[in-house]
Amino acid sequence: MSSCSVRVMCRFRPQNAKEKKNNEKAVRSGFDIQYSGDTNVNLKIENTNHPFTFDRVFDPDTKQEEVYDVVAQPSVRDVLDGYNATIFAYGQTGSGKTFTMFGIRNDPNLRGLIPRASSYIFNAIEQDDSDIEYAIKISFLEIYKERIHDLLDPTGSKDGPGLKIRESPQKGIWVEGLSEEFATCEEDIEDLIKAGESLRATAATEMNERSSRSHSVLMVVIEQKLSDGSTKTGRLNLVDLAGSERVGKTNVTGKQLDEAKDINKSLSTLGKCIHALAEASSKPKGQVHIPFRESNLTRMLQESLGGNTKTTLFLAASPAIYNADETLSTLRFGASAKTIKTLVHINKKRSIAELEALVANLTKEVRGLQKYCKALEKHIEYMQSPDYDPSKPMALSVPRPTLDGKDDKKPAATPLTASGTTAAARPGSAAGKLTRNPDGSTVNLRRALNDSGEPSSDDDEDASTLSLAETQLKLQELTKASEMQLDMLRVELREAQEREKDFKTQLDKTNEKCNDAVEKLNSIRSKSAGDAQNATKRIAELEEQLREKAEESEESVLLLYTDNERLEQEVEELTARLHKLQAELSAKAPSPKAVINEDRVIELETQLKGATRKLRATEEREAQLNGKLQAQKERLAVLTQNVSELTVQNQLLKTEKDEASSDKDRMEKVCFRLHCFSAYCHVALAAGDDDGGSWDDEDNCLNDD
């Protein structure tokens, strides 16, 4: 476990057209921003200097790519190494936080930190030629009016109670009910971000046309399974905070005013936590209260600010004199955060084989300590017995074990005396011996010889008893520490066994899903075959009806044309005869024959009228037949369209049939592979390999057709 400080970066956005007009006012009022190197900035307000030093300062001309390389890329590398990392953007509204984090997706030069980070992750995975298995999970949430909403769940309501924050020793701080989506490529992350942004609360104010009305947190979890069976997990939190607002500048009212109050309240709580953490860094642990629970925002960022996370604070600032007070407040916030330190470590879980080896080593050490304890007890009994002779020290029969698993041979080679020192350490001297009182109690008489050889008494403290007590105390401490470490490893072993059970359960579920998919595939295949037959039959029937209707229509049209031509000829003939008779009558005098001709004319007129009536009837019938013909044509067009649609449907059914057949073959191969892998796991577990073998063997099993 190592200690690291919060990294603080600051970026000043370019001035807009309105702010450039006020440059003369800034010069007159003594406002200026002075950059010194890459880490120093001096904010000059009313001719008063406010110098600040950060890890990096970006001037308004800095490109998005350079910001990513300095701010985000080290954090992404840390996450791939197994650490937790957080990047959150802080600043007033309209200072460029969202632009820096998300950027403009369609412009390669203006892409933000988040799209570039997703590209870097998948590029690093593609370039990794080791046997590491990766899994990437994405979650996206917003904190709107102190309520947490899932941005990847379109069915959620912003007026609801929101999701709850939970905490557990195993998972730390997490959000209950938050969805997690797996991502297999960069496009998956971009689609999820696009879907989440469409649900995020935004509104227009006088300082920002698209102001974020909520805090957003994009969580990227990268899980790595190594070839030895151990796992490594890194979590990247990308936080886009809503900007602090002054109502007098934004002029918001109603709903937006309530949103501004909640935003400023949560940011104020964040400032309290930052100042409390800065104060706690210089005092003993536990003396300073940190109000993480006063806001859902600080509760979410608790691990990022004071836990196992490498944190980067990105300050977005405005260079305008109009926002001088807010810019100074932002820089002071960053200066306080820079003093915070966190303890971080790699999130790695040992494999079952490693845990079992550690348990075996610790069990061996505990047994060695127990044997050593029994040997010490026997030695103590001997030293307390009347037969004890200090001039003949007894060496321990069992060597003292060490914590590194190796036996310490020195105690076996050097015997202990009653004073706790080695016999070779005091040549020419002898210790006193233990005698018993009449009441049965023991008395230690420490005796030594002077230069003349005469014995002399010594009233010093009983060194022998103290030495034995210290030895027993150290032995108890070693035994307790070993047992505690053994208990911890047993807990890890149980967790690994639970993960193995979860894996087996997931394998069973996968087998069930495969069986269901095969059944569904068979039903789709049979249904597709039946639908194809019905469609073919229906097409044949419609084609037959179409041919019959076409033949009937052609015959009716031919008859109609024939009758029409015949009647037109008759009318023309009668008309010509009538005109001829009328000319003859007008040219000749009346005579009996003329009377007869008049009768003939009347008769011809009558015939002409009859022919005219027949012609009209024929025209009416022609109109009716034309209407029927038009209707037949329309029906023919409908039938033709139906035939085309059925033909297309038939082609689609054939395509689905082919795809279903291909899916069936693929699913049969997958089922065969899963059954092989399941059998392999059972054989490996039966052989005593709780880790299920190496993943190389697993890949060979799954890839063996």
Side-chain angles (χ1 to χ4, degrees):
M1 185 175 292
S2 60
S3 174
C4 65
S5 301
V6 174
R7 295 194 312 151
V8 182
M9 316 283 184
C10 178
R11 183 185 190 184
F12 289 86
R13 64 165 175 80
Q15 291 183 339
N16 55 35
K18 181 179 178 180
E19 293 169 347
K20 290 179 180 179
K21 294 180 180 179
N22 296 328
N23 284 339
E24 295 182 0
K25 179 180 178 182
V27 173
R28 290 195 303 269
S29 54
F31 175 80
D32 190 19
I33 300 176
Q34 300 168 349
Y35 305 98
S36 176
D38 293 335
T39 59
N40 299 315
V41 60
N42 180 35
L43 189 65
K44 190 175 181 181
I45 302 176
E46 295 180 354
N47 296 322
T48 301
N49 293 320
H50 301 277
F52 295 93
T53 300
F54 300 117
D55 294 280
R56 186 62 182 268
V57 177
F58 301 101
D59 58 33
D61 297 329
T62 307
K63 305 298 182 183
Q64 290 277 75
E65 183 178 3
E66 182 181 353
V67 175
Y68 166 76
D69 291 339
V70 177
V71 177
Q73 187 170 329
S75 298
V76 178
R77 285 200 301 266
D78 290 336
V79 173
L80 290 172
D81 291 337
Y83 291 98
N84 296 333
T86 296
I87 302 174
F88 63 95
Y90 178 88
Q92 73 172 120
T93 181
S95 58
K97 300 181 299 300
T98 303
F99 174 77
T100 301
M101 296 298 289
F102 293 94
I104 298 177
R105 186 178 294 105
N106 299 327
D107 192 337
N109 296 324
L110 299 180
R111 297 174 70 205
L113 302 184
I114 294 176
R116 293 178 188 270
S118 62
S119 300
Y120 183 88
I121 290 172
F122 285 102
N123 290 335
I125 293 175
E126 290 179 359
Q127 295 173 3
D128 187 4
D129 55 357
S130 62
D131 296 331
I132 299 177
E133 180 182 351
Y134 290 86
I136 299 176
K137 294 183 288 186
I138 306 295
S139 298
F140 200 9
L141 62 85
E142 72 169 354
I143 303 176
Y144 174 70
K145 299 179 72 172
E146 283 301 309
R147 291 191 294 268
I148 300 175
H149 302 288
D150 189 353
L151 291 178
L152 300 183
D153 182 12
T155 61
S157 173
K158 294 191 183 299
D159 296 329
L163 304 178
K164 301 297 182 182
I165 298 177
R166 304 297 185 190
E167 184 176 6
S168 63
Q170 293 78 17
K171 299 176 65 176
I173 296 176
W174 55 286
V175 179
E176 184 180 19
L178 183 64
S179 60
E180 288 184 332
E181 299 290 341
F182 284 90
T184 58
C185 60
E186 180 183 353
E187 289 74 16
D188 291 345
I189 297 181
E190 290 183 356
D191 293 340
L192 293 173
I193 292 174
K194 185 177 180 181
E197 283 185 311
S198 63
L199 299 177
R200 190 178 177 187
T202 58
T205 66
E206 290 192 4
M207 293 190 67
N208 193 352
E209 294 181 356
R210 192 176 182 273
S211 175
S212 301
R213 314 308 294 171
S214 64
H215 312 294
S216 71
V217 182
L218 178 68
M219 291 174 281
V220 182
V221 179
I222 303 177
E223 296 179 352
Q224 306 176 42
K225 188 163 188 179
L226 308 181
S227 58
D228 59 357
S230 60
T231 59
K232 191 165 61 174
T233 304
R235 178 184 294 271
L236 177 62
N237 300 319
L238 299 164
V239 186
D240 180 22
L241 299 176
S244 59
E245 297 185 10
R246 284 193 177 184
V247 179
K249 292 184 177 181
T250 57
N251 293 327
V252 293
T253 57
K255 179 182 177 181
Q256 295 180 12
L257 179 59
D258 295 335
E259 294 170 349
K261 291 179 180 178
D262 291 323
I263 291 171
N264 291 337
K265 179 181 177 182
S266 60
L267 293 177
S268 176
T269 305
L270 176 62
K272 292 180 182 178
C273 293
I274 293 293
H275 290 301
L277 287 168
E279 183 181 357
S281 62
S282 60
K283 293 185 178 181
K285 186 177 180 180
Q287 290 190 0
V288 179
H289 170 68
I290 304 171
F292 286 122
R293 295 180 179 270
E294 291 186 6
S295 171
N296 280 334
L297 173 63
T298 53
R299 185 73 170 131
M300 280 285 300
L301 296 177
Q302 181 173 346
E303 288 289 334
S304 301
L305 297 175
N308 175 31
T309 304
K310 292 187 175 183
T311 303
T312 299
L313 172 61
F314 180 81
L315 305 175
S318 169
I321 185 176
Y322 182 67
N323 300 316
D325 294 338
E326 289 85 348
T327 300
L328 179 60
S329 176
T330 299
L331 298 181
R332 286 174 175 171
F333 178 86
S336 298
K338 196 171 179 353
T339 61
I340 300 174
K341 295 183 180 295
T342 57
L343 296 176
V344 297
H345 60 83
I346 296 177
N347 305 312
K348 186 176 181 181
K349 292 185 178 180
R350 297 185 179 94
S351 63
I352 296 178
E354 291 176 336
L355 293 174
E356 288 181 343
L358 288 174
V359 170
N361 290 335
L362 288 177
T363 303
K364 183 179 178 181
E365 290 178 5
V366 169
R367 290 175 181 173
L369 289 172
Q370 290 175 349
K371 291 180 181 180
Y372 184 64
C373 183
K374 291 180 181 179
L376 285 176
E377 290 176 353
K378 290 181 181 180
H379 191 72
I380 292 171
E381 290 177 358
Y382 167 71
M383 294 178 68
Q384 292 177 348
S385 66
D387 299 331
Y388 172 66
D389 187 0
S391 62
K392 298 179 180 180
M394 182 183 70
L396 292 177
S397 60
V398 179
R400 176 181 176 273
T402 59
L403 292 180
D404 59 357
K406 299 179 181 179
D407 292 336
D408 189 359
K409 304 296 184 180
K410 294 181 180 180
T414 306
L416 293 175
T417 62
S419 62
T421 61
T422 61
R426 298 178 62 187
S429 63
K433 60 182 179 180
L434 291 173
T435 60
R436 293 186 179 273
N437 290 327
D439 59 357
S441 61
T442 60
V443 178
N444 181 274
L445 300 177
R446 186 183 181 190
R447 302 175 61 86
L449 296 176
N450 53 19
D451 296 337
S452 62
E454 297 179 354
S456 61
S457 62
D458 193 354
D459 297 333
D460 293 339
E461 186 179 2
D462 190 352
S464 175
T465 304
L466 289 177
S467 176
L468 292 175
E470 291 174 356
T471 303
Q472 289 178 339
L473 181 60
K474 291 181 179 179
L475 180 61
Q476 291 175 359
E477 292 177 352
L478 290 173
T479 305
K480 186 176 180 181
S482 300
E483 290 177 351
M484 290 177 61
Q485 190 173 2
L486 186 61
D487 292 338
M488 292 174 61
L489 290 173
R490 285 172 179 168
V491 171
E492 292 186 10
L493 180 60
R494 283 196 296 270
E495 292 178 353
Q497 291 173 348
E498 290 177 358
R499 292 199 303 271
E500 182 183 4
K501 291 180 181 178
D502 294 338
F503 173 75
K504 292 179 181 178
T505 304
Q506 187 176 3
L507 182 61
D508 294 337
K509 291 181 180 179
T510 304
N511 290 332
E512 293 177 359
K513 290 181 179 180
C514 289
N515 295 330
D516 294 340
V518 172
E519 293 178 359
K520 186 176 180 181
L521 181 62
N522 292 331
S523 62
I524 291 175
R525 187 175 182 182
S526 59
K527 183 179 179 182
S528 299
D531 292 341
Q533 293 176 358
N534 294 333
T536 304
K537 185 176 179 181
R538 179 62 176 164
I539 289 172
E541 292 176 356
L542 289 173
E543 288 178 349
E544 183 65 26
Q545 293 178 8
L546 183 61
R547 284 194 297 271
E548 293 176 357
K549 295 293 184 181
E551 291 175 358
E552 292 177 359
S553 299
E554 290 176 358
E555 291 176 359
S556 299
V557 170
L558 290 174
L559 291 173
L560 179 62
Y561 287 156
T562 303
D563 292 341
N564 193 17
E565 289 177 357
R566 182 175 55 80
L567 290 172
E568 286 179 353
Q569 289 178 0
E570 290 179 1
V571 170
E572 289 177 357
E573 290 176 359
L574 290 172
T575 303
R577 290 170 64 184
L578 180 60
H579 288 309
K580 185 178 180 181
L581 289 173
Q582 288 177 351
E584 290 178 355
L585 288 174
S586 61
K588 297 180 180 179
S591 63
K593 191 175 181 179
V595 175
I596 295 174
N597 288 335
E598 290 178 0
D599 295 336
R600 181 63 178 165
V601 170
I602 294 171
E603 181 181 356
L604 289 173
E605 288 179 351
T606 303
Q607 291 178 3
L608 181 59
K609 290 179 180 179
T612 304
R613 285 195 299 270
K614 288 182 180 181
L615 181 59
R616 290 176 181 174
T618 303
E619 290 177 351
E620 292 177 358
R621 179 168 176 75
E622 181 183 6
Q624 293 177 358
L625 289 174
N626 285 331
K628 290 182 179 181
L629 181 61
Q630 186 64 28
Q632 291 293 336
K633 288 182 179 179
E634 292 177 356
R635 179 167 177 76
L636 180 62
V638 173
L639 291 174
T640 304
Q641 184 178 0
N642 291 336
V643 170
S644 301
E645 292 177 355
L646 288 172
T647 304
V648 174
Q649 187 177 2
N650 189 21
Q651 293 294 332
L652 291 176
L653 289 174
K654 288 181 180 178
T655 304
E656 289 181 359
K657 181 180 178 181
D658 296 337
E659 291 178 354
S661 177
S662 176
D663 290 341
K664 180 183 178 182
D665 295 338
R666 183 174 59 81
M667 293 303 294
E668 287 176 352
K669 290 182 180 180
V670 173
C671 290
F672 177 75
R673 294 173 185 172
L674 288 174
H675 286 309
C676 290
F677 178 61
S678 177
Y680 175 80
C681 289
H682 290 303
V683 171
L685 291 175
D689 188 3
D690 293 339
D691 193 27
S694 68
W695 284 93
D696 294 335
D697 297 336
E698 177 186 342
D699 293 337
N700 293 333
C701 179
L702 290 178
N703 293 326
D704 188 5
D705 291 336

